[in-house]
């Protein structure tokens, strides 16, 4: 039984996942991810894509809120920037997806950094309201879209969704084809962000979150790193938005309202603040909760025929109830619950 | 240990739910969602054979729930009525439906589930934003789709071959309403041009007819109408109405659902505004009168579905017989009923011709069946391979003594 850490080289000491059970778990997850689409039908692929995109957005928000301590209610707005800039490039210039997605993400990073400018002076609730303003300003620009030549909604030509000239449909139906893109982007995001917090910039972010004055005293350039956090976070928001645009083929601002921002905050709170895997759990939970309830109701509709008339209200209530239960019983989110499970088995039978 | 136990309790619950979800992944036979099959109390023999599956999404809790609920009841009632009368070609209809709370992502998820897992052959949708978001998939999946959105964007089969509109488009409704307004202005002995304003739902639904309406107004010498979005969930529209008063509008076109429209009408009364309100389809119904009371007197509405027509009697009598409560919104209930009946008529013709029930066959059936008679509820609905805007004209109504009274003959936009 493992009773301590005995690294003999610096390389082993610095490894992201030093223990074999961790590596085994990652390998198993990867295998599951690769095998899943071959067995899933389009409904499940649709859910998986939705979760993957939401997870990228949630990881982005977690960089800002969970790791750097800068509360943001502007995630929906930043995702809209990514979606519409990718959409406009594809629809107006006919640019392919593999160009629009990175350019849109970079552009969103720039916009995010711009709206992050007040973060030097503002903290906590004040900053939250400033980012809320960003959300509202972006929505305003989009609904008065005549400024940018956007109608009510923006259709993205299917043929722009190609990878280096190969159309997405070449490998099967859109849900199956996009699975590889969304999950691929998610894996890259996870690797990047997990390593980010082992780097100089990432540690500066965490220092700012824990105590910004102390961080400044030890030499962290607050303004620079706060802006960098906004830019990095918005980059992933833009990535999620741009992927949504290409996956759905049509976008309207209705998808990126303040409700979306709140939903993403709920994801990272339920999943676990300051955790990459927590963001994924949270995204999965929030996406699957309504699907789970409606499937459950369908199963029960044979036993309780009236359940369908109550279901809409149950769904509304369940969302609120889930957040309250998490805040009471596990404020650190699903990631902490998972850690408890691991600890239980690791320490068994001598838990105390 | 107590704390740990609690945590594990939560975790166990979560795991149980996750397992239940996984179990639900497989389409469970015979457990359709809002299934309404089997209502076989009539004298006709009970339909047997494989059920024909119809998918639908309703707004029962979202931003347009006030009209979404009676519409959904109309659709469910039609299926029940149809099954009580022997179904279609002896086969029962099975409606698989769910509330989507007017949220685009929910609509996409439910649509995918109903189409890929339940294998529905036709689909009845609701909002403009979600119908537009789904239009690409509808064409790919070849699912004939009748939505409660009459956005002009969905009427061209070259772009959206599987979307069918059963009422005049919002653009046409707006133009018809403007035509009426221009005549009314002259009839009242005014010279010069009236001033128009829009008070609309702040969504793709609300904005849908504005551009075409403005083009029509400008072509007829009317100053560019003022666009005033009405915020979602507003409890007071005084600022918006003040803006309209300052602009000096004579006619205000309401492209909204009943509840906010009633609020606008009431607010205007208390402000003492002398403005003619004209409701398009989704606020011109009995709910508006119920909510605005005496203040609704004189409001004009563009109503494509006439609940007083002969064809609506079956629906309303069935509702009375079964005790279906649709909040008194007769016209919206009849609208849901009629939309579903048109969708089913496509299925009926396909089966009558002995063809397989595929999306493509049903689409062709709808396009080639000629005029669909709705018993005077609407003008006969005609689809063709080049035009999916099934109805082109409607009558204008006015609220007189708490009732909608027709004040014109059928007017067409062009």
């Amino acid at each position: 039984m493992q009773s301590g850490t005995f690294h003999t080289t610096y390389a082993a000491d610095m490894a992201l996942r030093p223990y074999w059970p961790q590596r085994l778990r990652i390998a198993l997850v990867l295998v599951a991810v690769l095998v899943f689409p071959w067995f899933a039908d389009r409904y499940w692929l649709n859910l998986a894509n939705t979760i993957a995109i939401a997870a990228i957005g949630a990881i982005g928000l977690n960089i800002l809120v969970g790791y750097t301590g800068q509360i943001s209610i502007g995630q929906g707005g930043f995702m809209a920037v990514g979606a519409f800039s990718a959409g406009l490039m594809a629809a107006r210039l006919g640019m392919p997806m593999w160009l629009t997605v990175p350019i849109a993400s970079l552009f969103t990073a720039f916009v995010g950094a711009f709206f992050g400018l007040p973060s030097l002076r503002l903290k906590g609730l004040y900053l939250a309201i400033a980012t809320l303003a960003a959300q509202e300003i972006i929505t305003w620009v989009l609904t008065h879209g005549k400024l940018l030549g956007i109608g009510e909604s923006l259709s993205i030509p299917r043929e722009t969704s190609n990878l280096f000239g190969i159309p997405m449909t070449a490998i099967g139906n859109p849900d199956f084809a996009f699975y590889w893109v969304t999950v691929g982007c998610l894996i890259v995001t996870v690797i990047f962000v997990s390593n980010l917090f082992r780097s100089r910039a990432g540690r500066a972010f965490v220092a700012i979150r824990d105590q910004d004055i102390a961080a400044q005293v030890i030499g962290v350039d607050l303004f620079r790193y706060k802006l960098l956090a906004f830019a990095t976070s918005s980059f992933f928001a833009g990535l999620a938005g741009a992927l949504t645009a290409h996956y759905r083929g049509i976008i309207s601002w209705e998808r990126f309202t303040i409700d979306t921002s709140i939903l993403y905050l709920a994801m990272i709170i339920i999943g676990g603040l300051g955790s990459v895997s927590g963001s994924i759990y949270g995204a999965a939970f929030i996406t699957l909760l309504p699907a789970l309830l409606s499937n459950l109701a369908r199963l029960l509709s044979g036993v309780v025929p009236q359940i369908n008339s109550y279901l809409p209200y149950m769904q509304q209530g369940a969302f609120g109830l889930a957040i309250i239960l998490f805040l009471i019983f596990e404020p650190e989110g699903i990631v902490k619950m998972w850690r408890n499970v691991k600890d239980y088995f690791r320490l068994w039978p001598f838990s105390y | 240990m107590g704390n740990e136990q609690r945590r594990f309790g939560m975790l166990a619950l979560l795991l149980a739910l996750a397992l239940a979800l996984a179990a639900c992944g497989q389409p469970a036979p015979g457990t359709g969602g809002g299934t309404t099959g089997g209502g076989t109390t009539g004298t006709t023999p009970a339909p047997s054979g494989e059920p024909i599956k119809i998918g639908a999404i309703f707004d029962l809790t979202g931003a347009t729930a006030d009209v979404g609920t009676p519409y959904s009841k109309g659709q469910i009632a039609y299926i029940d009525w149809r099954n009580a009368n022997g179904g279609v070609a002896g086969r029962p209809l099975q409606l698989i439906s769910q509330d989507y709370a007017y949220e685009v992502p929910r609509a996409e998820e439910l649509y995918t589930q109903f189409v890929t897992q339940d294998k529905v052959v036709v689909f009845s949708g609701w909002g403009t934003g979600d119908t537009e978001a789904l239009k690409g998939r509808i064409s790919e999946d070849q699912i004939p789709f009748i939505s409660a959105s009459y956005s002009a964007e969905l009427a061209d089969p070259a772009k959206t071959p599987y979307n069918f509109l059963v009422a005049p488009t919002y653009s046409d409704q707006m133009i018809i309403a403007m035509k009426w307004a221009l005549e009314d202005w002259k009839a009242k002995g005014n010279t010069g041009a009236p001033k128009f304003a829009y008070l609309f739902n702040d969504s793709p639904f609300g904005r849908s007819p504005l551009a075409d309406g403005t083009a029509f107004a400008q072509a007829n010498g009317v100053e560019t109408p003022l666009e005033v979005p009405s915020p979602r969930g507003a409890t007071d529209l005084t600022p918006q109405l003040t803006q309209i008063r300052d602009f000096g509008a004579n006619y205000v076109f309401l492209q909204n659902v009943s509840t906010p429209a009633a609020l606008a009408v009431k607010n205007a009364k208390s402000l003492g505004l002398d403005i003619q309100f004209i409701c398009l389809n989704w606020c011109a119904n009995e709910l508006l009168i119920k909510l605005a009371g005496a203040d609704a007197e004189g409001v004009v509405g563009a109503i494509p579905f006439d609940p007083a027509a002969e064809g609506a009697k079956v629906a309303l009598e069935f509702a009375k017989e079964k005790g279906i409560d649709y909040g008194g919104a007769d016209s919206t209930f009849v609208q849901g009923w009629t939309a579903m009946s048109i969708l089913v008529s496509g299925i009926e013709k396909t089966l009558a011709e002995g063809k397989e029930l595929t999306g493509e066959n049903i689409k062709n059936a709808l396009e080639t069946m000629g005029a669909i008679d709705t018993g005077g509820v609407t003008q006969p609905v005609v689809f063709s391979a080049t035009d999916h805007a099934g109805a082109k004209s409607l009558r204008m109504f006015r609220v007189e003594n708490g009732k909608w009274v027709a004040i014109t003959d059928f007017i067409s936009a062009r």
Side-chain angles (χ1 to χ4, degrees):
Chain A
M1 183 169 296
Q2 192 174 313
S3 60
T5 308
F6 307 107
H7 294 308
T8 48
T9 62
Y10 284 120
D13 203 27
M14 306 258 300
L16 187 58
R17 292 283 177 266
Y19 308 116
W20 70 263
Q22 296 178 322
R23 291 181 189 154
L24 183 69
R25 271 202 301 274
I26 288 172
L28 284 177
V29 168
L30 275 179
V31 168
V33 162
L34 291 177
V35 166
F36 172 78
W38 304 99
F39 295 95
D41 64 8
R42 288 187 71 175
Y43 173 61
W44 282 98
L45 285 170
N46 178 51
L47 282 179
N49 286 331
T50 313
I51 291 171
I53 292 174
I56 294 171
I59 291 173
L61 186 63
N62 225 337
I63 295 174
L64 199 57
V65 180
Y67 283 109
T68 321
Q70 311 284 296
I71 298 169
S72 165
I73 322 182
Q75 188 75 356
F78 296 134
M79 286 174 68
V81 172
F84 275 91
S85 48
L88 282 172
M89 278 186 278
R92 300 271 185 280
L93 310 173
M95 282 165 72
M97 184 171 81
W98 52 274
L99 280 177
T100 61
V101 170
I103 295 175
S105 308
L106 283 172
F107 178 69
T108 315
F110 177 76
V111 173
F114 174 77
F115 282 109
L117 283 176
S119 66
L120 182 64
R121 302 275 171 154
L122 304 176
K123 269 197 266 185
L125 279 178
Y126 296 91
L127 182 62
I129 296 301
T131 52
L132 177 65
Q135 165 80 45
E136 292 299 325
I137 290 167
I138 292 166
T139 314
W140 186 86
V141 170
L142 292 175
T143 48
H144 296 69
K146 285 164 197 155
L147 302 173
L148 300 168
I150 313 169
E152 258 331 295
S153 50
L154 189 63
S155 290
I156 292 130
R158 265 273 180 250
E159 61 272 16
T160 58
S161 297
N162 69 60
L163 283 177
F164 314 106
I166 307 158
M168 293 294 287
T169 44
I171 37 170
N173 66 56
D175 295 302
F176 180 80
F178 265 96
Y179 179 83
W180 304 107
V181 176
T182 55
V183 170
C185 285
L186 176 61
I187 290 173
V188 173
T189 305
V190 167
I191 294 172
F192 177 85
V193 177
S194 309
N195 281 294
L196 176 65
F197 294 99
R198 290 141 45 88
S199 73
R200 185 186 172 87
R203 295 203 186 283
F205 290 167
V206 176
I208 292 171
R209 173 192 70 190
D210 289 346
Q211 179 51 267
D212 58 346
I213 295 170
Q216 196 167 26
V217 169
I218 58 170
V220 171
D221 184 347
L222 278 194
F223 190 50
R224 190 177 144 209
Y225 283 108
K226 279 182 173 178
L227 276 196
L228 194 62
F230 263 95
T232 323
S233 160
S234 305
F235 180 89
F236 292 110
L239 179 60
L243 287 174
T244 307
H246 277 279
Y247 176 44
R248 298 301 181 186
I250 183 164
I251 38 168
S252 81
W253 60 272
E254 267 190 324
R255 202 187 274 279
F256 305 107
T257 55
I258 175 98
D259 294 357
T260 315
S261 303
I262 306 283
L263 210 60
Y264 274 87
L265 273 180
M267 278 180 204
I268 60 171
I269 288 173
I270 285 179
L273 281 173
S275 157
V276 172
S277 44
S279 315
I280 302 173
Y281 302 150
F285 183 86
I286 294 281
T287 312
L288 290 178
L289 184 65
L292 165 82
L293 282 173
S294 65
N295 281 325
L296 211 62
R298 293 186 67 167
L299 276 184
L300 293 177
S301 64
V303 193
V304 196
Q306 282 306 307
I307 196 160
N308 271 293
S309 49
Y310 301 117
L311 178 68
Y313 310 100
M314 279 160 53
Q315 277 176 336
Q316 284 180 325
F319 179 69
L321 189 68
I323 293 176
I324 291 173
L325 286 180
F326 267 104
L327 292 184
I328 294 172
F329 292 110
E330 195 52 277
E332 290 175 60
I334 299 173
V335 75
K336 182 70 194 316
M337 295 166 87
W338 173 230
R339 210 174 291 148
N340 288 343
V341 173
K342 283 193 290 188
D343 287 347
Y344 179 83
F345 285 108
R346 194 161 55 84
L347 301 173
W348 190 87
F350 305 112
S351 325
Y352 294 95
Chain B
M1 189 65 196
N3 205 22
E4 285 295 305
Q5 261 173 349
R6 220 172 24 221
R7 282 178 188 172
F8 272 98
M10 274 285 286
L11 192 82
L13 185 73
L14 207 78
L15 272 173
L17 288 175
L19 284 172
L21 176 71
C24 300
Q26 278 70 39
T31 58
T35 172
T36 57
T40 54
T41 49
T43 46
T44 34
S48 56
E50 198 191 335
I52 298 164
K53 291 181 175 174
I54 298 173
I57 47 169
F58 300 132
D59 180 12
L60 307 176
T61 55
T64 59
D66 56 346
V67 285
T69 310
Y71 184 88
S72 75
K73 301 236 170 166
Q75 299 222 305
I76 293 168
Y78 178 78
I79 302 281
D80 284 342
W81 175 79
R82 198 63 208 241
N83 284 333
N85 287 286
V88 175
R91 285 170 69 180
L93 297 170
Q94 187 186 9
L95 185 69
I96 297 171
S97 65
Q98 207 120 86
D99 170 57
Y100 82 110
Y102 208 64
E103 280 171 18
V104 180
R106 279 288 285 149
E108 281 169 340
E109 185 215 311
L110 291 172
Y111 167 85
T112 320
Q113 184 176 23
F114 296 167
V115 169
T116 62
Q117 290 197 337
D118 297 303
K119 314 274 184 228
V120 300
V121 285
V122 290
F123 208 97
S124 173
W126 177 249
T128 302
D130 35 281
T131 307
E132 289 193 0
L134 285 172
K135 65 185 182 185
R137 303 191 68 136
I138 292 167
S139 307
E140 279 168 23
D141 298 335
Q142 304 195 322
I143 299 291
F145 196 102
I146 287 184
S147 167
S149 161
Y150 310 123
S151 166
E153 287 281 308
L154 303 166
D156 181 7
K159 287 182 197 145
T160 52
Y162 285 84
N163 286 83
F164 292 86
L165 301 194
V166 294
T169 64
Y170 292 140
S171 299
D172 281 3
Q173 291 184 20
M174 181 67 85
I175 290 169
I176 292 167
M178 283 182 168
K179 273 188 173 174
W180 177 85
L182 289 171
E183 300 233 322
D184 181 65
W185 181 252
K186 259 188 248 156
K188 283 186 178 149
N190 293 307
T191 49
K195 279 189 159 183
F196 289 170
Y198 307 117
L199 186 58
F200 57 92
N201 191 308
D202 197 4
S203 71
F205 149 63
R207 287 170 194 271
S208 163
L210 302 191
D212 289 330
T214 302
F216 177 83
Q218 285 170 339
N220 285 278
V222 178
E223 192 187 329
T224 308
L226 177 72
E227 292 183 13
V228 185
S230 144
R232 273 189 194 187
T235 50
D236 177 48
L237 292 169
T238 307
Q240 283 77 14
L241 289 164
T242 314
Q243 200 187 344
I244 288 169
R245 181 185 62 195
D246 295 346
F247 175 73
N250 307 102
Y251 294 89
V252 174
F253 299 91
L254 290 165
Q255 167 68 337
N256 212 330
V257 289
S258 309
T259 313
L263 181 67
V265 171
K266 287 178 84 132
N267 279 173
K269 200 60 124 199
S270 56
L271 283 172
L273 292 189
D274 179 28
I275 289 176
Q276 176 66 58
F277 281 102
I278 305 177
C279 272
L280 300 193
N281 180 189
W282 288 112
C283 60
N285 53 27
E286 294 76 8
L287 279 180
L288 178 85
I289 303 174
K290 200 168 140 186
L291 296 167
D295 294 345
E297 284 299 304
V299 171
V300 169
I303 305 184
F305 296 82
D306 180 4
E310 201 59 32
K313 281 198 179 136
V314 189
L316 296 173
E317 271 163 20
F318 183 75
K320 202 182 258 175
E321 186 192 317
K322 294 277 169 192
I324 298 170
D325 175 24
Y326 51 84
D330 284 9
S331 57
T332 312
F333 177 78
V334 168
Q335 187 164 359
W337 175 289
T338 311
M340 186 53 88
S341 75
I342 292 171
L343 202 50
V344 171
S345 70
I347 297 177
E348 201 172 7
K349 184 171 186 251
T350 312
L351 287 176
E353 287 170 349
K355 287 185 188 152
E356 201 191 337
L357 267 192
T358 64
E360 204 183 354
N361 287 341
I362 298 170
K363 167 182 174 274
N364 290 337
L366 281 169
E367 283 172 349
T368 53
M369 70 194 307
I372 304 166
D373 183 24
T374 56
V377 176
T378 64
Q379 288 283 74
V381 176
V382 191
F383 299 116
S384 76
T386 50
D387 186 7
H388 282 187
K392 298 281 193 301
S393 56
L394 53 78
R395 285 189 291 177
M396 299 300 291
F397 286 67
R398 183 191 279 131
V399 181
E400 285 169 9
N401 302 319
K403 278 207 159 52
W404 289 101
V405 180
I407 52 168
T408 68
D409 204 354
F410 281 94
I411 308 177
S412 140
R414 283 166 245 278

